[in-house]
Amino acid sequence: MTHEEFIQLGEEQRKKNEQYKHSIDVCVAAACVSMQSDKIKKSIEDEVKKKELGTSCRIRGVGCMGLCAEGPLINIDNGKSLYCNVKEEDAQEIVSAIDKEPVERLKLSADVPFFNRQLKIALEDSCNVDTESLDDYLAQDGYEALFDVLTKMSPGEALQEVVKSGLRGRGGGGYPTGLKWSTVQIAVTDKKYVICNADEGDPGAFMDRAMLESNPHKILEGMAIAGYVVGADQGYIYIRAEYPLAIKRLRNAIKQAERKNLLGNNILGTPFNFGIEIRLGAGAFVCGEETALIASIEGQRGSPRPRPPYPAESGLWEESTLINNVETFANIVPIMKKGGEWFASIGTEKSKGTKVFALAGSIKNTGLIEVPMGISLRDVVFDIGGGILEGRKFKAVQTGGPSGGCIPESHLDMPIDYESLITIGSMMGSGGMIVIDDSSCMVDVAKFFMDFCQSESCGKCVPCRVGTAQMHTILEKITNGSAGMHDFQLLEELCDIVKNTSLCGLGQSAANPILSTIKFFREEYLSHIHDKHCPAGVCKIKKEEEVIS
Amino acid sequence: MSKVRIKTLKIDDRDVGAREDQTILEVARDNGIHIPTLCQLDGLTNLGGCRLCLVEIKGSNKLLPSCVTAVEEGMEVSTNTERLQKHRRSIVELFFTERNHVCAVCVSNNNCELQNLAKQVGMTHVHFPYMYPALSVDATHDRFALDHNRCVLCTRCVRVCDEIEGAHTLDVRGRGIEAYIITDLEQVWGESETCTSCGKCVNVCPTGALFEKNKSVAEMKKQTKFLPYLTMMRGARR
Ligand SMILES: Cc1cc2nc3c(=O)[nH]c(=O)nc-3n(C[C@H](O)[C@H](O)[C@H](O)COP(=O)(O)O)c2cc1C
Ligand code: SF4
Ligand code: FES
């Protein structure tokens, strides 16, 4: 496809879109589909056909709108009215109302903090583009950034935009993306690879899944730009097999892009070649660790290996490899379109741009949000999140999944950025955010995460393999009331060993949920140990008399 | 011959020279400085799994496994600080708690690397709780047996079988504390179609987990010196 044809395609689609008087956008990301939104879409289509509105109504299946708790969601005429909790039988009423007053009973106000305090960059357009249509993506300047980079910029110039943006890896560690790309760019190997890490193993996290289901082309475009910058001609997306919808849409998107020569050889008439293949993971948490992921793609057991050498130096098949998270790639197209400086103007001094979080737990507005870095945790939980569930009291917010920690009320005004979160013993992680209320026991929370770590440990290194199992046993003892202070001291000692001597990030951060709950909720541990009493009433502690009788 | 650069560094306050492709462990050994190891074995690829060879490097808070960390110019390495001694002792203890190591009835008693390590790191008792898992013994092979109770999952046997013998009969199955050594696709050893009965795995095993049948308590002595020789001869043939 030449550039003219490419521009023309977008034009045509835009014109087609303008012919329609109305648009009905039904969310078809996993959360809404699980509430039958695909069937609702079908009913609306039938209804539109019946009423012969086919020429004036455009119906699309679009990506995640964020407020998953109120799904299925439908957006009429680009935000004119937003319907929530829609059922199949509402289709007729919705279509009938299209030229009249909206259906009050289903209406959700868009002018609430949940929507107007967010800032969407990675998720921009994700609820505004047909999840299965390349043409629709092209109508919104899709692949324009790739074309501009290929024709107007040298790899070095494109790299400079990423460096200037200050973007840091969204997979958890927060490593500067520009620096990583430059390392792969200067590496000298026969071949180079780009890998998109879509393993997303944190319990409760679904940011990457939503991005891939909503706007797969944006990720493909970001990867292709990365390929051009670092000099790679092959990309892999490593995604867990538990994400069938995301896989289906990715496969579809790759095929579409190949057909239109947006992937493959001589992309858009330039000398640049880049292909993308999908590799399915079996869902082991440790396979999200980059060296384990690479081993898994190579067909070996998914165990991490010591670094250095880092993948940038010796990665897939021992060639220089760039590996980034889905959300990192999702930020590339906006950075190329609007410039690195624009991106760097958002956020804090050291954490630029926005971050996507999956809000879950005891919070009103569970769902997917994107907020500028530096916003306070309090604003996220109480303003955007709508606060704690009725009748409950806030206790802590957990970030960073099994590698992160629990943050208490006293630290809620802290800004969300990589450094602040680490300072208080948690971590940005990939974006899971679980709100915990006073009905939860913090020792039990720590035990949940330790159970996860010990069963997901790969078993290669001793401190993590045996240490996490030992820690889990001690937490088990504390929660059933059979532990003494001696066990508590052993627990603290094990935290220190596992953290400092484990091979990979899983073991090195496995103690964080324990350390942070000991730091902020020590009295709960002591209450279990001394008074044989669980303050939240969660742990079943047998009283001594019962044991005897 | 390609040129190899020489680096100078300090190990335990001693100035030493090294080839740039050497690991800290190799250089330490060349200079008579002892660092405890378990999963590492000359002639096999390095794993970095047992974490006993961790060392401190000035300017970094992170402990690094010396068996896989390459030397760098000006590096200042400490191999035996108090912090390292404490961690090493704990790691050896964790090994003992993980499975059922009963020296008094073991074929390798007095010829066991785990036992030697316990002495080296000054382990007087185990202060973490024992886990006492229920594990089996595979004695179906004609000449050898595998006692999972004594296995430390160093994977030396897996590596020697794959890298030296080329049979890849042995492998690891499962994750975390549930991981264990299997033969072929988890058939019993005696029914393995790939095993050549070469016995290399038995000889590289640091404990009494892999042993020759008809050996009684303390009678099993292992011989690992054949490995570097085999690797060297292969290199020459290539
Ligand atoms: C145990 C473990 C699990 C991980 N899981 C993921 C994951 O699911 N997705 C991800 O993007 N990164 C994950 N990472 C981080 C990756 O190793 C790697 O740093 C990341 O993909 C780099 O991309 P980024 O620079 O864009 O963040 C994990 C790391 C560890 C130690
Ligand atoms: S820290 Fe845990 S997951 Fe990582 S290599 Fe060691 S055993 Fe495997
Ligand atoms: S000898 Fe280095 S980690 Fe085992």
Side-chain angles (χ1 to χ4, degrees):
Chain A
M1 186 160 65
T2 65
H3 189 227
E4 286 72 37
E5 286 166 347
F6 167 68
I7 300 274
Q8 204 184 340
L9 259 177
E11 272 307 316
E12 274 169 27
Q13 184 67 26
R14 263 191 295 271
K15 274 207 198 102
K16 236 199 263 170
N17 289 353
E18 279 160 17
Q19 286 168 7
Y20 294 108
K21 224 168 100 201
H22 298 291
S23 69
I24 304 178
D25 293 342
V26 185
C27 173
V28 289
C32 283
V33 169
S34 72
M35 302 286 286
Q36 316 287 327
S37 73
D38 47 346
K39 291 208 181 106
I40 298 171
K41 177 166 169 262
K42 181 84 187 26
S43 307
I44 290 180
E45 281 164 356
D46 292 346
E47 209 47 54
V48 163
K49 226 182 261 159
K50 222 162 65 195
K51 295 205 163 60
E52 294 181 356
L53 291 168
T55 49
S56 66
C57 280
R58 179 179 56 146
I59 304 160
R60 293 186 303 181
V62 299
C64 185
M65 304 188 192
L67 198 51
C68 306
E70 302 283 342
L73 298 169
I74 295 181
N75 177 2
I76 308 283
D77 294 343
N78 282 324
K80 205 185 91 196
S81 22
L82 196 59
Y83 294 145
C84 62
N85 296 308
V86 181
K87 302 209 169 47
E88 243 185 295
E89 52 271 24
D90 298 329
Q92 193 225 345
E93 206 175 335
I94 290 173
V95 176
S96 307
I98 195 101
D99 274 314
K100 306 183 199 112
E101 285 299 299
V103 189
E104 275 310 319
R105 132 188 108 76
L106 297 173
K107 238 185 119 175
L108 183 78
S109 171
D111 192 26
V112 289
F114 182 85
F115 292 107
N116 60 28
R117 290 216 54 185
Q118 291 196 45
L119 176 64
K120 297 203 170 181
I121 296 176
L123 287 173
E124 193 191 6
D125 292 335
S126 75
C127 57
N128 197 25
V129 59
D130 193 317
T131 54
E132 308 210 335
S133 159
L134 171 60
D135 290 344
D136 203 32
Y137 184 63
L138 291 177
Q140 305 182 42
D141 297 331
Y143 289 98
E144 193 66 51
L146 174 64
F147 184 80
D148 282 349
V149 169
L150 292 185
T151 53
K152 299 186 188 133
M153 286 178 162
S154 68
E157 283 164 349
L159 172 67
Q160 277 319 304
E161 290 306 318
V162 181
V163 172
K164 260 192 277 174
S165 75
L167 174 66
R168 292 169 66 174
R170 300 297 194 234
Y175 191 80
T177 306
L179 183 58
K180 198 185 261 186
W181 286 29
S182 72
T183 325
V184 182
Q185 194 183 55
I186 57 172
V188 190
T189 46
D190 294 341
K191 210 170 153 68
K192 290 181 189 175
Y193 296 98
V194 171
I195 297 177
C196 173
N197 186 342
D199 191 59
E200 197 165 53
D202 291 19
F206 54 93
M207 300 77 54
D208 296 348
R209 187 190 69 191
M211 276 179 252
L212 292 167
E213 283 169 357
S214 303
N215 199 353
H217 282 291
K218 192 176 183 180
I219 308 298
L220 302 184
E221 189 179 354
M223 287 179 70
I225 293 172
Y228 176 71
V229 171
V230 303
D233 62 2
Q234 178 66 48
Y236 290 97
I237 300 177
Y238 187 87
I239 181 167
R240 52 178 48 227
E242 285 101 324
Y243 284 177
L245 191 59
I247 294 166
K248 182 179 141 228
R249 293 199 179 138
L250 268 175
R251 286 219 167 104
N252 175 51
I254 292 173
K255 214 179 283 163
Q256 288 173 337
E258 282 170 352
R259 246 183 248 135
K260 290 270 162 36
N261 187 224
L262 298 161
L263 287 176
N265 288 343
N266 301 105
I267 293 176
L268 291 165
T270 68
F272 177 59
N273 307 333
F274 193 72
I276 295 180
E277 284 179 36
I278 295 179
R279 287 291 178 272
L280 300 187
F285 175 59
V286 74
C287 283
E289 197 279 339
E290 53 193 26
T291 58
L293 187 152
I294 286 169
S296 175
I297 293 184
E298 289 172 352
Q300 300 176 37
R301 186 179 156 89
S303 291
R305 60 155 177 80
R307 304 173 306 175
Y310 289 88
E313 189 189 332
S314 173
L316 189 57
W317 320 115
E318 290 177 20
E319 308 282 6
S320 169
T321 302
L322 173 73
I323 173 160
N324 276 128
N325 170 256
V326 175
E327 191 183 336
T328 312
F329 283 119
N331 280 301
I332 296 303
V333 171
I335 288 173
M336 290 304 163
K337 275 187 183 158
K338 299 188 190 162
E341 267 162 36
W342 159 80
F343 191 86
S345 71
I346 302 158
T348 68
E349 193 199 333
K350 284 187 182 156
S351 303
K352 302 296 188 191
T354 56
K355 179 77 195 81
V356 180
F357 288 103
L359 281 184
S362 178
I363 189 164
K364 286 201 187 105
N365 302 334
T366 47
L368 203 66
I369 60 162
E370 182 170 357
V371 289
M373 295 276 192
I375 191 173
S376 77
L377 276 165
R378 190 181 298 280
D379 284 351
V380 170
V381 175
F382 288 95
D383 213 20
I384 298 174
I388 308 303
L389 289 182
E390 217 65 64
R392 290 271 155 225
K393 227 178 126 265
F394 175 88
K395 192 168 193 179
V397 49
Q398 209 279 347
T399 69
S403 318
C406 295
I407 304 162
E409 169 92 41
S410 55
H411 287 71
L412 273 188
D413 291 309
M414 195 192 69
I416 297 180
D417 62 60
Y418 291 99
E419 279 73 23
S420 303
L421 284 166
I422 287 176
T423 317
I424 64 158
S426 187
M427 178 162 144
M428 180 77 81
S430 55
M433 199 181 269
I434 301 166
V435 178
I436 298 166
D437 68 29
D438 57 352
S439 67
S440 297
C441 163
M442 299 314 283
V443 187
D444 188 57
V445 169
K447 191 175 81 178
F448 167 82
F449 283 111
M450 194 44 62
D451 189 23
F452 181 84
C453 286
Q454 69 130 15
S455 59
E456 293 296 328
S457 159
C458 81
K460 178 170 181 171
C461 75
V462 183
C464 172
R465 181 176 81 227
V466 189
T468 54
Q470 288 274 11
M471 289 195 277
H472 182 253
T473 312
I474 296 179
L475 288 170
E476 192 76 62
K477 276 176 86 177
I478 297 181
T479 52
N480 73 19
S482 62
M485 268 325 264
H486 171 69
D487 297 288
F488 187 62
Q489 278 152 10
L490 277 186
L491 182 66
E492 290 190 295
E493 194 186 329
L494 282 163
C495 285
D496 179 51
I497 298 163
V498 175
K499 191 183 171 109
N500 286 297
T501 63
S502 290
L503 191 158
C504 87
L506 193 155
Q508 287 160 9
S509 61
N512 285 349
I514 300 185
L515 289 170
S516 74
T517 46
I518 290 185
K519 182 168 165 192
F520 295 120
F521 301 93
R522 196 183 181 90
E523 71 287 354
E524 284 197 33
Y525 280 86
L526 299 183
S527 175
H528 284 79
I529 295 167
H530 293 315
D531 313 331
K532 308 292 171 207
H533 169 68
C534 172
V538 174
C539 306
K540 305 264 172 294
I541 298 182
K542 283 206 192 89
K543 288 273 170 282
E544 263 161 57
E545 306 89 82
E546 291 173 57
V547 178
I548 296 164
S549 62
Chain B
M1 237 172 118
S2 63
K3 271 188 199 149
V4 179
R5 295 226 174 102
I6 298 299
K7 310 258 168 172
T8 53
L9 60 151
K10 265 198 167 83
I11 303 184
D12 292 342
D13 282 330
R14 267 172 59 189
D15 289 307
V16 295
R19 290 197 320 269
E20 64 175 345
D21 59 357
Q22 280 188 299
T23 63
I24 297 173
L25 179 67
E26 286 167 342
V27 181
R29 282 183 180 163
D30 287 351
N31 288 279
I33 299 168
H34 176 77
I35 301 176
T37 55
L38 180 61
C39 63
Q40 191 275 343
L41 190 64
D42 282 347
L44 299 179
T45 55
N46 288 324
L47 183 79
C50 76
R51 317 305 283 171
L52 285 165
C53 70
L54 289 177
V55 294
E56 284 187 54
I57 293 177
K58 198 175 169 190
S60 158
N61 194 31
K62 248 186 142 158
L63 306 175
L64 289 175
S66 58
C67 66
V68 289
T69 306
V71 293
E72 270 167 43
E73 183 64 39
M75 222 177 205
E76 291 182 35
V77 184
S78 308
T79 70
N80 204 16
T81 62
E82 220 169 282
R83 181 179 174 210
L84 290 170
Q85 289 175 6
K86 191 165 153 276
H87 283 321
R88 280 187 193 132
R89 211 160 37 230
S90 300
I91 289 171
V92 175
E93 282 189 37
L94 287 177
F95 270 122
F96 275 94
T97 67
E98 184 184 15
R99 298 202 171 178
N100 307 306
H101 296 281
V102 189
C103 302
V105 297
C106 179
V107 283
S108 288
N109 194 5
N110 284 331
N111 298 302
C112 169
E113 291 187 40
L114 185 62
Q115 213 175 31
N116 293 344
L117 274 166
K119 276 182 230 151
Q120 265 176 49
V121 301
M123 183 184 104
T124 52
H125 65 295
V126 173
H127 79 298
F128 299 113
Y130 284 97
M131 304 177 82
Y132 301 120
L135 297 168
S136 62
V137 179
D138 182 346
T140 55
H141 192 278
D142 289 346
R143 289 165 49 209
F144 314 123
L146 166 58
D147 184 349
H148 291 286
N149 293 286
R150 302 169 184 152
C151 171
V152 290
L153 285 171
C154 65
T155 71
R156 281 185 187 180
C157 55
V158 176
R159 284 175 283 157
V160 82
C161 184
D162 176 44
E163 295 166 14
I164 307 294
E165 180 62 9
H168 203 134
T169 302
L170 297 158
D171 213 328
V172 182
R173 154 149 211 187
R175 264 205 305 261
I177 199 78
E178 318 250 277
Y180 58 95
I181 301 293
I182 54 167
T183 37
D184 285 349
L185 296 171
E186 219 184 351
Q187 287 103 318
V188 292
W189 198 357
E191 283 167 23
S192 165
E193 292 180 2
T194 56
C195 176
T196 60
S197 301
C198 71
K200 291 191 182 69
C201 53
V202 173
N203 276 304
V204 298
C205 172
T207 70
L210 284 165
F211 58 95
E212 285 164 14
K213 286 185 166 175
N214 304 321
K215 286 265 159 52
S216 181
V217 174
E219 284 181 1
M220 185 70 222
K221 291 200 173 75
K222 311 243 170 142
Q223 169 56 273
T224 61
K225 295 285 183 294
F226 68 95
L227 264 180
Y229 173 75
L230 276 184
T231 345
M232 190 182 76
M233 293 311 283
R234 278 192 178 189
R237 217 167 50 209
R238 257 192 215 130

